[in-house]
Structures are given as C-alpha cells and as structure tokens.
Amino acid sequence: MSAAPAYSEDKGGSAGPGEPEYGHDPASGGIFSSDYKRHDDLKEMLDTNKDSLKLEAMKRIVAMIARGKNASDLFPAVVKNVACKNIEVKKLVYVYLVRYAEEQQDLALLSISTFQRGLKDPNQLIRASALRVLSSIRVPIIVPIMMLAIKEAASDMSPYVRKTAAHAIPKLYSLDSDQKDQLIEVIEKLLADKTTLVAGSVVMAFEEVCPERIDLIHKNYRKLCNLLIDVEEWGQVVIISMLTRYARTQFLSPTQNESLLEENPEKAFYGSEEDEAKGPGPEEAAATALPSRKPYVMDPDHRLLLRNTKPLLQSRSAAVVMAVAQLYFHLAPKAEVGVIAKALVRLLRSHSEVQYVVLQNVATMSIKRRGMFEPYLKSFYIRSTDPTQIKVLKLEVLTNLANETNIPTVLREFQTYIRSMDKDFVAATIQAIGRCATNIGRVRDTCLNGLVQLLSNRDELVVAESVVVIKKLLQMQPAQHGEIIKHLAKLTDNIQVPMARASILWLIGEYCEHVPRIAPDVLRKMAKSFTAEEDIVKLQVINLAAKLYLTNSKQTKLLTQYVLSLAKYDQNYDIRDRARFTRQLIVPSEQGGALSRHAKKLFLAPKPAPVLESSFKDRDHFQLGSLSHLLNAKATGYQELPDWPEEAPDPSVRNVEVPEWTKCSNREKRKEKEKPFYSDSEGESGPTESADSNPESDSESDSKSSSESSSGESSSESDNEDEDEEKGRSSESEQSEEEGERKKTKKRKKVAEGHRAGSSSDEGSDSSSSSSESEVTSESEEEQVEATSWRRKTAPSSKSAPAAKEISLLDLEDFTPPSVQAVSSPTIVSTSLVTDLEGLTLTDSSLVPSLLSPVPGAGRQELLHRVAGEGLAVDYAFSRQPFPADRHMVSVHIHFSNSSENPIKGLRVGAPKLPAGISIQEFPEIESLAPGESTTAVMGINFCDSTQAANFQLCTQTRQFYVSIQPPVGELMSPVFMSENEFKKEQGKLTGMNEITEKLTLPDTCRSDHIVVQKVTTTANLGRVPCGTSDEYRFAGRTLTSGSLVLLTLDARPAGAAQLTVNSEKMVIGTMLVKDVIQTLTQ
C-alpha cells in the first residue's frame, strides 16, 4: 500500500487531507486505477450531449489547472467542445485552450477552422478568446491566418477585442519578425483608438515591435497624456515608461539652464545681455542678468505630461507610483521633483519586496537630490523586524542624507544599530560611519574615536570591520593618529579575521616612521606565524618586511630574508611571485641594481586617501524603476534612456489636423474648451475633470504656455473625434451646450471677483488652462465693467463713514508695525468704507507698500564672535524685504564690525558647500573695513523651503571663517493679502493631511488684538486677513521657493483653550510653524 502515495504524486492526482480530488472517479479511489483510465469520468462527461454535465466537467478541469495540476491529457476531449452552443461551456473551453494550445499545437491545428469561426461570434468574449488561442499556436504555417485575424480584430466594435488584438501583436512578431511592417500599420491604427482599455496594450505592443518609431507617437501624444488617468494600472506603467523616453527626445532639459547658473552665476547666457550688463560692474551685472535668465520656459507638451502624471502619485499601485517618480526624476525641473518624495515614503509601509525596490531607487535619487528626502529622515530609521537587505538599503539612504545639520541624530541612530544581533547589518553600519566621517569633516575625529572604542568589542566581526574602516580614515591624516596605530598593532595577537589583520599590517608598514619601535616587533610575530596565515595576510607581511628593510634595515634585514625565504616555497603562486619580485627589487644584486635604487620610491610613495563612495553613485545612468537599475547590469530588452537634445525638435508635429467639414460652430468650440482633461465626448471626461485641480507652483510663463497648449489640444482633439460620432447626438450636444454656457458665466463671475480681490495666486492657472486667448480678452473686458459697476453700487454706503472708519482703522493698525507712525496720512486713509476695503485687498495699489510693510522678525543673531573672528564680529538679521535679484531668496542683512586694531581687507563669501536645492547670492566684496568701523551688506539665500542651514565661508585676505545661517520656519515665506472669502476657499482645498490643528492656552497678557497679531507676525512673515469675528485671527502667506500657500487661523475663545490651525501643502513647514507660533504665544 506504500506505493499509493508515490503513484498519485507522480501523476499529480493526489490531494491533501480533507480535500476533494477532481478528475478521479470517486468509486475508484485512485489506488487501483491504471494510467489509461485516468480522468475517464471527465472524458465521459465531455462526450455527453448534456450541457450541464459538460459545464460541470469544464469547471472541474479549470479548478485542476488553478491548483497547478496537469490536465493536458484531456486536450482532445476538450477541444471537441469548442463548437458547443452553450456560451458558458465555450468560455471555459477557451480558457483551457489558451493554457494548453502551445503544448498541444498539432491537435490545436486540427480545430483552427473552429477558432476562425469563433472570431465571428456575436459574443465579444468568445471573439477575444478565439484570437488569444489562435495567437498561442506557435506554428509558422498559420502566420497569414493570424495576421488576418489581428487586422480584423483591430477594427472590431468591442474595445476588449481590440485590446486582445494588441496583445496578439507581440506574439506574432516573435513568431515571424518579417511581418513587422504590417504590424506597424495595425499599431498605428490602434494608437489612434480613443478608449482607455486599448491604450496600455497598444503601447506595450509598440514597445515590443517598433520602439524606435517615435513618429507614431507624435499625433497621439496629447491624447495619451489626457487618457493616462483612466487607463488600468498595468497600462499606466507602460505608457509612463514610454512617454519618459519620448520626452527625453522631444523636449529640452529643464535643468540645463539651472546647472549653468550654478556653475557660472556671474556669466550671462547671451552675448547681448553680457554687453548690456558690462556697464555697472561685474557683481551688479550678474545681479541684474540673473533674474532675466532664471525662468525656464517649458514646452507646453512637457508641462502637460508632468501635470497629468502628478495625480497618479496617489495611486494604490506601487508600480504606478514608482513609474511617476522615475518620470519626475528624469524629466521635471529641480524645484518640482520634491513632490515624489512623499509618495515614495508612503510606499515604505508596504511589503518588504516593494520596500526593497523603492529603497534601491531612493538610494540612487538621494545622492543627487539629497534635499528631497531630508524632511523624511525618520522614515528611513531601521526597525528590528526589517530583513537584512532592507536594513542595509535604509542605512545607505541615511548615510546619503547625512549632513552637518542632522549628523548628530544619524550617529546616535548608528550607535544603536551597532548593538544589533545581525552581524552583516552591524558591519554595514560601521562602513556607514566611515562614509559619514569621510564626507563630513567636522565629525571625523568623533567617528574615529567611536570606532576605536569598538576595537574592545567582544565580537570579532565588529572589531575586524572597525579596523578596516579605521585604516581608510587614518590615511586622510596619519600624522595626528600615531597612538591609534600603536593600539591597532597590539590587536594582532587577538584578531583572527584575515582582512582585519591585513589592514593592520598595511597601516604599520605604510606609516612605520610613526611607530619605529613597534613595527619590527610586529614583523617578528608575523614571521613566526607566517605559514599558518591566510594568503591576503601573507602578502601584507611581505609588504611590511620590504618597507621595514628599506627604512630600518639594521633591525629587520634578517627577518626580511627569513620571510622572503618562507614565501619563496609557499603553495600559492601569487605569494611565490611576490617574494621573488620583492627580493630582486629591494636587495641589490650585481646584475639588476638599476631598479633597487628606486625601491623606496616604489614602496613608500605617498598614496591618495581612499574615497568612500556609495555603491549607488553611478546607477542613475539606468532608468529608475527598471530591472537593469535594480541589478546594476543591463538586462535583456532594456532600452537606454536617451540624452536630452541640444535643440528642441519641431513641436508642431504633435498638432492634430482638423478637416474642414468636421469643424463645429464657435459656440460648440467654446463649450469643448471648457473641459480641462479630456475633449472626449463619449462620457469619459466626467469623472476626471477634477483630477487636475491640484494647485501648481509653476511660474506664470509656464502656466500661460500650458494653458495655450491644452486649449489648442482640447479643441483639435474634440473636433477630430466628432467625425467618428453618431448622427443622433444633436439633442445631447444642445443640452451640453447650455450647461457649458452656464458654467462659463459662473466662471466669469469668479474670475471677476478674484481680480477685484487682487489675488495673484497661481492656483487659477489650472482652472483657466483650457481657455482660448480670445476668451481671456473678452473676460478681462467684462471684469473691468463689472468692477466699475461694483464700485458705483457700493459708493452710497459712504454715508456711514464714522463707524466703518473705526473698524477699518483697527484692522489697519494690526497690519502696521508699531515703529512706523507716518503711515496714516489723509491720502491713505479715506473716509469711505470702499476705499478702506480696497486698501486691504488690492495688492497692486499704492497703499500696500506703505500700509502693509513687513513686520520685522527676530533681532540680530550672532554669526561670528569677535574672539573667533580675530576682531571681526558678524551679526545677521532677516529683513523680510524682497530680495531684488531673485524673489525666491530670503533677504539677509549681514552686519560687520571691526574691533581689532588693523583694517580688515577683502571681505567676501568663499565657495559655499551647499546641500542640494539651496543657493546663495553673494554680497559684493567689501574692500576694506577700518578699525572701529561697521558696515552692512545684503545677501540672498534660497533655502528651498527647508530649515536646513546654509553653510559658507566668510573670507578675508588672510583668514577663512566657517559660518552657518539657519532660518526659522517663519522666515521662509512672504505675506499674501486676500479677502476673507478667498481665504475660506483656499482653506477648503487644503484639508486632511494638509491641515495641522493644535489647542493652546493663551496667557492673560496675550488677549489683546494688538499683541496677538504682533506676536504671530514677528514669528512668521505672514499677512493679516480681514475677519468678521472679533475672536478669530487669520493670516496668509506663501513659501518663497515653491509658492505654496500657508494659511494660519487662531481661534482665541474668551473661555477655554484657543485653537491654532495651519493649512499648507508643505506638511513639514506647517508642523514646525505650529510649534513656533504656540511657543511664542504661550511665553
């Protein structure tokens, strides 16, 4: 009976305990049944005329396949039922045939006529299944039949069948590559398909068959960008990957101008600008030429791709998020790449397999764009439950993100990791400490001392790894660390790990002049144990002997000869060769004395210190998210990411021509242009119109260009699509026309209100991106008419001037700093409520600079003490005035005073070593500062919306001083003035994760309006927003770099705890701002 399990395992028919066995006669039990009677019951059921039995048999067979059982011997019985009338049976038969058609090709060929009839079946699922089976038969003789079937399916009414046709194209191409030209015609036809079901599949076929034919993408580029949001996840990944490569061939690099500015800030790009800027001097010329060169005018189609992929960062699929992340990394300007960091950090909460891939890509990104992930440093802290490969990758990211600001935190984390039980992870941590010490000079001694302490660890692997890292660090400044070398020499008796022993011997040999007494003794001990050592140690013993012979031959001559004699007869030929080579080189002989004269130069030549670099440093030449990037080797089928072109190709190739007879009336065009995402009139645009409503922080030129492109694109697409639509849609189009007109009038009212309120926010660029130029002009005219009529209507209310005047003056007093008294002149504060309100809301009026001048922040802070500066004392303060050269920069006033007896000459900023994203506009050089004199200079710093310190050097003719300016979070923004309605509208957009709320108790000294406003505006550079209630305070501002809104609301209730709310896209800035404001208010 013992043979029964073995038999059933061989045949794949055994089930686990308690599981029913499909495909066996229940009466036979499977023990005494012979091979030819296997599945007899199923064959009989398939041969009957009853559809119910056939259906039951097919269900059992498909269940067997799903469980991994082999059902190929049933192929003849199943294939006979392909012509069955029952639709359910036919579906299951095709499921079976798709699985086994490649294995049983001869039998499948016998039924090919049935498959061809299936291609004409009324049911779309049967037509698609027949095509799938036909394309699975890998026999060259039926290639013409497959080609004909694919061409017919490409014109099928059902999108599902067209999708299946796209799937069949790569199969036919792999079977017969000579059919490429005909297949390209089919791909071109399917690329013009308007349905989202087909888009992903046809792009995959395009990538497999003809990825070099980018001319096929030109006409369909905008359509693919707009359809992307509704394509299934698999298709989204494929399309994004293809569009990444397409964009690299069609658009200019958005970072090219930025890199030139960083390398040569004083040189203008164009000759004309250089000539014009020569007059005022080099520094002023750079300052005036820089703002004109800084904006990068992006191609509207480039912007369309970035804008339409951004919402996919919130996708539930990790593959889609990763695809969008690599697209932004390879295509987006530096200022916009940061949006992907939050999405990638979210993926770290997923399965370990997903974490592994994401961390590989983050490790590569963090080398070039370190500032992007610095706010999320704690997300990369290592958990004890993480697998070793995840721990090592997180360690890599933490090391890449380490800088002078966060290095104390990172090193504290590393101290904890060293106590881990995972030895591979501990070794990686020690290497990471070595890399931190190499990259950040000021912690080198700290790291070195910590590693020396690890030498007394009980674990030999920890000690060995520490020795290897210490050896690399000591090469940077060996003269200062003779004691450490002596300490390492004592460890040769205890450490048994070959790499560690070899490192110690190399150090002693290389720096033998620092330990002249110890080195010969170490060589004596090594000579004793030479024969028992590993090969790598033996080679270093020979090196040590040679170096000591050249520097101290009296003590070590005999030892060296003894070691060389032992090595001469060693089993390893490398060691034998090294011994012979060394003997001839250091011991002069009559014949070969020429080289021995230069032996010292050869052995004791100064060697450069090793550079400890990340293993991910050069991986970015592979496309992120690809298998080649993961393996760090070119995988089969990998397509290189093209280089950016020097000159942009003609953008008109992406314009879609519209036949004259399909053009609709002006009214219909305007109705179609209202649609921001799709111009497709088949009902697909409905759920996606809000997908692009995320506020963008783009420049005005970008938003304008994108609006023009999308408007032209939507109108041309809509006109092009109209020719395929049915004739009976006139009633629907009329209804949609009326709806479009109603929406348009509402929109005009909103735009007019926005202009009256003086809001210059960039959020409106998306909503108006699909309007034509003619509409914009007509709407602007209407706005002017409505604005003047509004003023006329509100003019009679000036009779109630006294009461209104009191209210408005109270509000204005809150905006005005206490120091500015000459503000309230008769020309500024009028008697009517209308002009007061205008003074509060119209940003481009002359009232704003005087009435709403910035409130000064914290006082001066010390940058360089006079003792450390040898008589030069430097303070700095944030002026909160716009920096003239670049509005994205924080204006910093630097105050110099010379308390020494000698003049200080050549005061300037040295070459700064700044983190990614941070830039500095230097102040002009101060030629001389006499004793006792003081002066002030203004410099601009772009902190890239982070509180990370800007480190730079203050240089004089004789000295260099390392200084650091770290901004409070409140100085990273500029005030925005808006109406109460606008404030509420923008606040409604920034809810959920973009809202931080905290409760606080206000002291009695902080209950008056004046004190609350003064404290908040001193802490943060925000503008006061008018508010109807007396116990509520509202403030608004924008971050300087990205232009993200920051809205602050303080609900100071008379009784109970007050509530502070901050709404901002920048969650980190919002959190820090809440802490700072609460600390100020509760002091």
mmCIF file with all atom_site columns, all heavy atoms in Angstrom, residues 431-448:
data_model
loop_
_atom_site.group_PDB
_atom_site.id
_atom_site.type_symbol
_atom_site.label_atom_id
_atom_site.label_alt_id
_atom_site.label_comp_id
_atom_site.label_asym_id
_atom_site.label_entity_id
_atom_site.label_seq_id
_atom_site.pdbx_PDB_ins_code
_atom_site.Cartn_x
_atom_site.Cartn_y
_atom_site.Cartn_z
_atom_site.occupancy
_atom_site.B_iso_or_equiv
_atom_site.pdbx_formal_charge
_atom_site.auth_seq_id
_atom_site.auth_comp_id
_atom_site.auth_asym_id
_atom_site.auth_atom_id
_atom_site.pdbx_PDB_model_num
ATOM 1   N N   . GLN A 1 431 ? 30.686 50.557 8.257  1.00 0.00 ? 431 GLN A N   1
ATOM 2   C CA  . GLN A 1 431 ? 31.098 51.166 6.987  1.00 0.00 ? 431 GLN A CA  1
ATOM 3   C C   . GLN A 1 431 ? 30.392 52.502 6.772  1.00 0.00 ? 431 GLN A C   1
ATOM 4   O O   . GLN A 1 431 ? 30.984 53.458 6.255  1.00 0.00 ? 431 GLN A O   1
ATOM 5   C CB  . GLN A 1 431 ? 30.777 50.217 5.830  1.00 0.00 ? 431 GLN A CB  1
ATOM 6   C CG  . GLN A 1 431 ? 31.653 48.972 5.815  1.00 0.00 ? 431 GLN A CG  1
ATOM 7   C CD  . GLN A 1 431 ? 31.225 47.994 4.730  1.00 0.00 ? 431 GLN A CD  1
ATOM 8   O OE1 . GLN A 1 431 ? 30.352 48.289 3.926  1.00 0.00 ? 431 GLN A OE1 1
ATOM 9   N NE2 . GLN A 1 431 ? 31.833 46.821 4.718  1.00 0.00 ? 431 GLN A NE2 1
ATOM 10  N N   . ALA A 1 432 ? 29.118 52.573 7.178  1.00 0.00 ? 432 ALA A N   1
ATOM 11  C CA  . ALA A 1 432 ? 28.360 53.827 7.031  1.00 0.00 ? 432 ALA A CA  1
ATOM 12  C C   . ALA A 1 432 ? 28.961 54.919 7.903  1.00 0.00 ? 432 ALA A C   1
ATOM 13  O O   . ALA A 1 432 ? 29.037 56.092 7.491  1.00 0.00 ? 432 ALA A O   1
ATOM 14  C CB  . ALA A 1 432 ? 26.895 53.602 7.398  1.00 0.00 ? 432 ALA A CB  1
ATOM 15  N N   . ILE A 1 433 ? 29.391 54.563 9.115  1.00 0.00 ? 433 ILE A N   1
ATOM 16  C CA  . ILE A 1 433 ? 30.051 55.553 9.982  1.00 0.00 ? 433 ILE A CA  1
ATOM 17  C C   . ILE A 1 433 ? 31.315 56.064 9.308  1.00 0.00 ? 433 ILE A C   1
ATOM 18  O O   . ILE A 1 433 ? 31.619 57.265 9.334  1.00 0.00 ? 433 ILE A O   1
ATOM 19  C CB  . ILE A 1 433 ? 30.372 54.922 11.358 1.00 0.00 ? 433 ILE A CB  1
ATOM 20  C CG1 . ILE A 1 433 ? 29.072 54.613 12.121 1.00 0.00 ? 433 ILE A CG1 1
ATOM 21  C CG2 . ILE A 1 433 ? 31.249 55.847 12.183 1.00 0.00 ? 433 ILE A CG2 1
ATOM 22  C CD1 . ILE A 1 433 ? 29.274 53.831 13.397 1.00 0.00 ? 433 ILE A CD1 1
ATOM 23  N N   . GLY A 1 434 ? 32.054 55.173 8.681  1.00 0.00 ? 434 GLY A N   1
ATOM 24  C CA  . GLY A 1 434 ? 33.257 55.588 7.956  1.00 0.00 ? 434 GLY A CA  1
ATOM 25  C C   . GLY A 1 434 ? 32.944 56.544 6.818  1.00 0.00 ? 434 GLY A C   1
ATOM 26  O O   . GLY A 1 434 ? 33.655 57.529 6.605  1.00 0.00 ? 434 GLY A O   1
ATOM 27  N N   . ARG A 1 435 ? 31.862 56.276 6.095  1.00 0.00 ? 435 ARG A N   1
ATOM 28  C CA  . ARG A 1 435 ? 31.480 57.174 5.000  1.00 0.00 ? 435 ARG A CA  1
ATOM 29  C C   . ARG A 1 435 ? 31.080 58.548 5.518  1.00 0.00 ? 435 ARG A C   1
ATOM 30  O O   . ARG A 1 435 ? 31.398 59.581 4.934  1.00 0.00 ? 435 ARG A O   1
ATOM 31  C CB  . ARG A 1 435 ? 30.323 56.569 4.200  1.00 0.00 ? 435 ARG A CB  1
ATOM 32  C CG  . ARG A 1 435 ? 30.784 55.690 3.052  1.00 0.00 ? 435 ARG A CG  1
ATOM 33  C CD  . ARG A 1 435 ? 29.642 55.167 2.248  1.00 0.00 ? 435 ARG A CD  1
ATOM 34  N NE  . ARG A 1 435 ? 28.801 56.235 1.727  1.00 0.00 ? 435 ARG A NE  1
ATOM 35  C CZ  . ARG A 1 435 ? 27.545 56.051 1.331  1.00 0.00 ? 435 ARG A CZ  1
ATOM 36  N NH1 . ARG A 1 435 ? 26.990 54.854 1.429  1.00 0.00 ? 435 ARG A NH1 1
ATOM 37  N NH2 . ARG A 1 435 ? 26.846 57.050 0.862  1.00 0.00 ? 435 ARG A NH2 1
ATOM 38  N N   . CYS A 1 436 ? 30.332 58.567 6.643  1.00 0.00 ? 436 CYS A N   1
ATOM 39  C CA  . CYS A 1 436 ? 29.945 59.855 7.245  1.00 0.00 ? 436 CYS A CA  1
ATOM 40  C C   . CYS A 1 436 ? 31.185 60.642 7.653  1.00 0.00 ? 436 CYS A C   1
ATOM 41  O O   . CYS A 1 436 ? 31.260 61.867 7.460  1.00 0.00 ? 436 CYS A O   1
ATOM 42  C CB  . CYS A 1 436 ? 29.047 59.625 8.462  1.00 0.00 ? 436 CYS A CB  1
ATOM 43  S SG  . CYS A 1 436 ? 27.396 59.057 8.048  1.00 0.00 ? 436 CYS A SG  1
ATOM 44  N N   . ALA A 1 437 ? 32.159 59.944 8.226  1.00 0.00 ? 437 ALA A N   1
ATOM 45  C CA  . ALA A 1 437 ? 33.386 60.623 8.645  1.00 0.00 ? 437 ALA A CA  1
ATOM 46  C C   . ALA A 1 437 ? 34.151 61.178 7.443  1.00 0.00 ? 437 ALA A C   1
ATOM 47  O O   . ALA A 1 437 ? 34.766 62.247 7.517  1.00 0.00 ? 437 ALA A O   1
ATOM 48  C CB  . ALA A 1 437 ? 34.269 59.662 9.427  1.00 0.00 ? 437 ALA A CB  1
ATOM 49  N N   . THR A 1 438 ? 34.103 60.477 6.333  1.00 0.00 ? 438 THR A N   1
ATOM 50  C CA  . THR A 1 438 ? 34.789 60.948 5.124  1.00 0.00 ? 438 THR A CA  1
ATOM 51  C C   . THR A 1 438 ? 34.101 62.173 4.548  1.00 0.00 ? 438 THR A C   1
ATOM 52  O O   . THR A 1 438 ? 34.742 63.144 4.149  1.00 0.00 ? 438 THR A O   1
ATOM 53  C CB  . THR A 1 438 ? 34.799 59.827 4.057  1.00 0.00 ? 438 THR A CB  1
ATOM 54  O OG1 . THR A 1 438 ? 35.335 58.645 4.649  1.00 0.00 ? 438 THR A OG1 1
ATOM 55  C CG2 . THR A 1 438 ? 35.650 60.218 2.870  1.00 0.00 ? 438 THR A CG2 1
ATOM 56  N N   . ASN A 1 439 ? 32.750 62.139 4.501  1.00 0.00 ? 439 ASN A N   1
ATOM 57  C CA  . ASN A 1 439 ? 32.002 63.206 3.835  1.00 0.00 ? 439 ASN A CA  1
ATOM 58  C C   . ASN A 1 439 ? 31.880 64.465 4.683  1.00 0.00 ? 439 ASN A C   1
ATOM 59  O O   . ASN A 1 439 ? 31.787 65.568 4.151  1.00 0.00 ? 439 ASN A O   1
ATOM 60  C CB  . ASN A 1 439 ? 30.593 62.715 3.471  1.00 0.00 ? 439 ASN A CB  1
ATOM 61  C CG  . ASN A 1 439 ? 30.645 61.525 2.520  1.00 0.00 ? 439 ASN A CG  1
ATOM 62  O OD1 . ASN A 1 439 ? 31.609 61.363 1.792  1.00 0.00 ? 439 ASN A OD1 1
ATOM 63  N ND2 . ASN A 1 439 ? 29.628 60.692 2.531  1.00 0.00 ? 439 ASN A ND2 1
ATOM 64  N N   . ILE A 1 440 ? 31.837 64.314 6.009  1.00 0.00 ? 440 ILE A N   1
ATOM 65  C CA  . ILE A 1 440 ? 31.614 65.460 6.898  1.00 0.00 ? 440 ILE A CA  1
ATOM 66  C C   . ILE A 1 440 ? 32.845 65.605 7.788  1.00 0.00 ? 440 ILE A C   1
ATOM 67  O O   . ILE A 1 440 ? 33.029 64.846 8.748  1.00 0.00 ? 440 ILE A O   1
ATOM 68  C CB  . ILE A 1 440 ? 30.331 65.254 7.731  1.00 0.00 ? 440 ILE A CB  1
ATOM 69  C CG1 . ILE A 1 440 ? 29.148 65.012 6.795  1.00 0.00 ? 440 ILE A CG1 1
ATOM 70  C CG2 . ILE A 1 440 ? 30.064 66.458 8.619  1.00 0.00 ? 440 ILE A CG2 1
ATOM 71  C CD1 . ILE A 1 440 ? 27.906 64.512 7.475  1.00 0.00 ? 440 ILE A CD1 1
ATOM 72  N N   . GLY A 1 441 ? 33.680 66.561 7.447  1.00 0.00 ? 441 GLY A N   1
ATOM 73  C CA  . GLY A 1 441 ? 34.988 66.681 8.102  1.00 0.00 ? 441 GLY A CA  1
ATOM 74  C C   . GLY A 1 441 ? 34.902 66.925 9.595  1.00 0.00 ? 441 GLY A C   1
ATOM 75  O O   . GLY A 1 441 ? 35.720 66.414 10.356 1.00 0.00 ? 441 GLY A O   1
ATOM 76  N N   . ARG A 1 442 ? 33.905 67.682 10.046 1.00 0.00 ? 442 ARG A N   1
ATOM 77  C CA  . ARG A 1 442 ? 33.907 68.086 11.457 1.00 0.00 ? 442 ARG A CA  1
ATOM 78  C C   . ARG A 1 442 ? 33.568 66.942 12.402 1.00 0.00 ? 442 ARG A C   1
ATOM 79  O O   . ARG A 1 442 ? 33.776 67.067 13.608 1.00 0.00 ? 442 ARG A O   1
ATOM 80  C CB  . ARG A 1 442 ? 32.962 69.260 11.676 1.00 0.00 ? 442 ARG A CB  1
ATOM 81  C CG  . ARG A 1 442 ? 31.486 68.955 11.633 1.00 0.00 ? 442 ARG A CG  1
ATOM 82  C CD  . ARG A 1 442 ? 30.683 70.233 11.832 1.00 0.00 ? 442 ARG A CD  1
ATOM 83  N NE  . ARG A 1 442 ? 29.255 70.019 11.833 1.00 0.00 ? 442 ARG A NE  1
ATOM 84  C CZ  . ARG A 1 442 ? 28.539 69.736 12.904 1.00 0.00 ? 442 ARG A CZ  1
ATOM 85  N NH1 . ARG A 1 442 ? 29.131 69.616 14.064 1.00 0.00 ? 442 ARG A NH1 1
ATOM 86  N NH2 . ARG A 1 442 ? 27.231 69.558 12.820 1.00 0.00 ? 442 ARG A NH2 1
ATOM 87  N N   . VAL A 1 443 ? 33.036 65.824 11.903 1.00 0.00 ? 443 VAL A N   1
ATOM 88  C CA  . VAL A 1 443 ? 32.743 64.688 12.788 1.00 0.00 ? 443 VAL A CA  1
ATOM 89  C C   . VAL A 1 443 ? 33.753 63.558 12.599 1.00 0.00 ? 443 VAL A C   1
ATOM 90  O O   . VAL A 1 443 ? 33.566 62.466 13.136 1.00 0.00 ? 443 VAL A O   1
ATOM 91  C CB  . VAL A 1 443 ? 31.307 64.147 12.548 1.00 0.00 ? 443 VAL A CB  1
ATOM 92  C CG1 . VAL A 1 443 ? 30.287 65.192 12.888 1.00 0.00 ? 443 VAL A CG1 1
ATOM 93  C CG2 . VAL A 1 443 ? 31.132 63.654 11.129 1.00 0.00 ? 443 VAL A CG2 1
ATOM 94  N N   . ARG A 1 444 ? 34.821 63.824 11.839 1.00 0.00 ? 444 ARG A N   1
ATOM 95  C CA  . ARG A 1 444 ? 35.773 62.748 11.558 1.00 0.00 ? 444 ARG A CA  1
ATOM 96  C C   . ARG A 1 444 ? 36.421 62.223 12.839 1.00 0.00 ? 444 ARG A C   1
ATOM 97  O O   . ARG A 1 444 ? 36.504 61.020 13.058 1.00 0.00 ? 444 ARG A O   1
ATOM 98  C CB  . ARG A 1 444 ? 36.835 63.250 10.579 1.00 0.00 ? 444 ARG A CB  1
ATOM 99  C CG  . ARG A 1 444 ? 37.752 62.160 10.054 1.00 0.00 ? 444 ARG A CG  1
ATOM 100 C CD  . ARG A 1 444 ? 38.630 62.690 8.949  1.00 0.00 ? 444 ARG A CD  1
ATOM 101 N NE  . ARG A 1 444 ? 37.832 63.152 7.832  1.00 0.00 ? 444 ARG A NE  1
ATOM 102 C CZ  . ARG A 1 444 ? 38.178 64.151 7.025  1.00 0.00 ? 444 ARG A CZ  1
ATOM 103 N NH1 . ARG A 1 444 ? 39.317 64.796 7.226  1.00 0.00 ? 444 ARG A NH1 1
ATOM 104 N NH2 . ARG A 1 444 ? 37.414 64.518 6.025  1.00 0.00 ? 444 ARG A NH2 1
ATOM 105 N N   . ASP A 1 445 ? 36.860 63.146 13.696 1.00 0.00 ? 445 ASP A N   1
ATOM 106 C CA  . ASP A 1 445 ? 37.502 62.718 14.942 1.00 0.00 ? 445 ASP A CA  1
ATOM 107 C C   . ASP A 1 445 ? 36.520 61.980 15.842 1.00 0.00 ? 445 ASP A C   1
ATOM 108 O O   . ASP A 1 445 ? 36.875 60.985 16.478 1.00 0.00 ? 445 ASP A O   1
ATOM 109 C CB  . ASP A 1 445 ? 38.071 63.936 15.683 1.00 0.00 ? 445 ASP A CB  1
ATOM 110 C CG  . ASP A 1 445 ? 39.239 64.558 14.923 1.00 0.00 ? 445 ASP A CG  1
ATOM 111 O OD1 . ASP A 1 445 ? 39.803 63.847 14.063 1.00 0.00 ? 445 ASP A OD1 1
ATOM 112 O OD2 . ASP A 1 445 ? 39.564 65.727 15.182 1.00 0.00 ? 445 ASP A OD2 1
ATOM 113 N N   . THR A 1 446 ? 35.298 62.460 15.900 1.00 0.00 ? 446 THR A N   1
ATOM 114 C CA  . THR A 1 446 ? 34.276 61.787 16.715 1.00 0.00 ? 446 THR A CA  1
ATOM 115 C C   . THR A 1 446 ? 34.062 60.358 16.237 1.00 0.00 ? 446 THR A C   1
ATOM 116 O O   . THR A 1 446 ? 34.008 59.414 17.042 1.00 0.00 ? 446 THR A O   1
ATOM 117 C CB  . THR A 1 446 ? 32.942 62.565 16.639 1.00 0.00 ? 446 THR A CB  1
ATOM 118 O OG1 . THR A 1 446 ? 33.184 63.931 16.940 1.00 0.00 ? 446 THR A OG1 1
ATOM 119 C CG2 . THR A 1 446 ? 31.931 61.991 17.599 1.00 0.00 ? 446 THR A CG2 1
ATOM 120 N N   . CYS A 1 447 ? 33.914 60.192 14.912 1.00 0.00 ? 447 CYS A N   1
ATOM 121 C CA  . CYS A 1 447 ? 33.700 58.853 14.348 1.00 0.00 ? 447 CYS A CA  1
ATOM 122 C C   . CYS A 1 447 ? 34.909 57.959 14.608 1.00 0.00 ? 447 CYS A C   1
ATOM 123 O O   . CYS A 1 447 ? 34.767 56.773 14.945 1.00 0.00 ? 447 CYS A O   1
ATOM 124 C CB  . CYS A 1 447 ? 33.432 58.949 12.851 1.00 0.00 ? 447 CYS A CB  1
ATOM 125 S SG  . CYS A 1 447 ? 31.886 59.757 12.434 1.00 0.00 ? 447 CYS A SG  1
ATOM 126 N N   . LEU A 1 448 ? 36.108 58.547 14.454 1.00 0.00 ? 448 LEU A N   1
ATOM 127 C CA  . LEU A 1 448 ? 37.324 57.756 14.644 1.00 0.00 ? 448 LEU A CA  1
ATOM 128 C C   . LEU A 1 448 ? 37.432 57.274 16.092 1.00 0.00 ? 448 LEU A C   1
ATOM 129 O O   . LEU A 1 448 ? 37.752 56.103 16.349 1.00 0.00 ? 448 LEU A O   1
ATOM 130 C CB  . LEU A 1 448 ? 38.532 58.611 14.263 1.00 0.00 ? 448 LEU A CB  1
ATOM 131 C CG  . LEU A 1 448 ? 39.823 57.885 13.890 1.00 0.00 ? 448 LEU A CG  1
ATOM 132 C CD1 . LEU A 1 448 ? 39.565 56.836 12.831 1.00 0.00 ? 448 LEU A CD1 1
ATOM 133 C CD2 . LEU A 1 448 ? 40.846 58.884 13.387 1.00 0.00 ? 448 LEU A CD2 1
#
